[in-house]
Amino acid sequence: MPSAKINEATQREWRELGFFYDRDDSAKEWRIAGSKGNLNCFVKILRDYAADARNDVISEHEHYGPYMYLEIGTWSTPEITDHWIAGPLDKLLELAAVVESRIEQANVGDSIELREAFSPASPYEIVLEVKDESFDPALADSACW
């Protein structure tokens, strides 16, 4: 069992990331949860990654979150797998625009699926869960309480 200091650090890292994520391998889904403002942090990650010219190399990648298993990467074609969300930088920018647009139109309680818009043939789905503005991503991680 992690110490109180480890749990506090994990909670802080979720809050700094701005949203909660988890990967459900049985459902083959990346689930990303947050308020509209929180989910825009995911948009920012995608845009920042795609804007960095150093990432314009196949297999380049960045890890995010307290457990570092959310990975955004560069690949020759868009894909969503158990390993990562990846594609050419221009396609990641397009994904960011789709996410931003769908968040803007969403209501609290909505689930937004992104595979069809980004990579229809991918084995995994990305599901955004729109929560209310009081959503705390740290509270969604039962492992750090």
Side-chain angles (χ1 to χ4, degrees):
M1 173 155 259
S3 70
K5 277 191 169 191
I6 296 291
N7 286 339
E8 288 171 15
T10 303
Q11 293 164 17
R12 183 177 57 253
E13 289 175 38
W14 280 123
R15 291 176 180 131
E16 288 169 1
L17 182 64
F19 56 88
F20 177 78
Y21 69 81
D22 198 9
R23 190 184 70 228
D24 182 339
D25 291 323
S26 62
K28 294 194 173 200
E29 293 178 336
W30 284 95
R31 301 195 69 77
I32 300 173
S35 67
K36 287 184 174 190
N38 294 141
L39 292 173
N40 276 312
C41 293
F42 180 59
V43 172
K44 182 176 180 347
I45 283 172
L46 291 168
R47 285 196 172 128
D48 288 351
Y49 180 87
D52 188 338
R54 294 174 295 184
N55 293 328
D56 197 15
V57 178
I58 297 296
S59 293
E60 193 58 50
H61 61 277
E62 291 289 331
H63 296 266
Y64 300 93
Y67 304 114
M68 305 298 279
Y69 68 91
L70 175 61
E71 188 174 330
I72 306 298
T74 308
W75 200 242
S76 57
T77 58
E79 68 177 25
I80 309 161
T81 69
D82 63 340
H83 175 73
W84 63 0
I85 299 165
L89 299 184
D90 63 325
K91 296 298 184 186
L92 291 171
L93 281 174
E94 288 175 19
L95 176 60
V98 167
V99 171
E100 184 175 49
S101 172
R102 299 246 181 113
I103 291 168
E104 192 174 293
Q105 299 169 19
N107 295 310
V108 172
D110 286 353
S111 289
I112 303 165
E113 296 181 348
L114 298 167
R115 175 175 39 203
E116 191 64 34
F118 179 64
S119 180
S122 285
Y124 274 65
E125 177 69 80
I126 302 170
V127 179
L128 304 178
E129 299 174 354
V130 183
K131 306 293 187 180
D132 66 40
E133 288 303 315
S134 66
F135 179 77
D136 180 350
L139 291 176
D141 183 356
S142 60
C144 66
W145 292 98

